[in-house]
Amino acid sequence: MDYLNRDSFFTGVSEGVISYDRIIAMLAVVDDQIVIEEKGIYSVEKFLIARRLMYWQVYLHKTVVGAEQLLIKILQRAKQLASSGNTLFATPAFNWFLTQKLIRTIF
């Protein structure tokens, strides 16, 4: 939940500010299930609305989506160059990622 406050602060969007400490304080475990006190329902609703607004205004903003697509293309090109034997300026961990053939598994 803290990511909403962090992202809201750094992007200047006020809709992501929530009182996550109040939500956590209102949580309890009853009969092996997580429950929330009745007076904490408003805070949970505010959290859900804030999350939705942050997606609309920040996470799915056209600039963010464009930058993500650009980063994907850069990584694909770097992986292609590395697999062709070109030496790239990279940390050992990143170089391992670029040179290994990774297999996606679905659970």
Side-chain angles (χ1 to χ4, degrees):
M1 289 185 277
D2 65 331
Y3 74 93
L4 287 175
N5 285 333
R6 179 200 62 215
D7 295 346
S8 174
F9 176 78
F10 284 109
T11 58
V13 177
S14 62
E15 283 81 3
V17 178
I18 59 164
S19 56
Y20 63 88
D21 51 339
R22 178 172 170 77
I23 294 173
I24 293 172
M26 298 290 162
L27 291 175
V29 177
V30 176
D31 297 327
D32 292 331
Q33 293 190 2
I34 297 176
V35 296
I36 190 156
E37 294 179 29
E38 188 175 340
K39 59 185 177 181
I41 292 175
Y42 174 74
S43 295
V44 172
E45 287 176 348
K46 187 176 177 190
F47 162 70
L48 294 173
I49 291 169
R51 188 171 179 267
R52 172 64 61 162
L53 290 172
M54 286 295 287
Y55 267 93
W56 285 342
Q57 291 186 349
V58 177
Y59 304 130
L60 296 177
H61 189 276
K62 63 183 180 182
T63 306
V64 173
V65 173
E68 183 180 357
Q69 291 301 312
L70 180 63
L71 181 59
I72 289 169
K73 295 294 183 188
I74 289 169
L75 292 173
Q76 287 173 342
R77 178 66 174 146
K79 193 157 181 67
Q80 179 187 29
L81 289 171
S83 65
S84 328
N86 292 311
T87 304
L88 301 175
F89 178 73
T91 63
F94 188 53
N95 194 39
W96 180 89
F97 168 76
L98 291 174
T99 57
Q100 297 300 308
K101 188 159 187 100
L102 303 175
I103 300 172
R104 180 187 293 180
T105 58
I106 300 174
F107 296 100

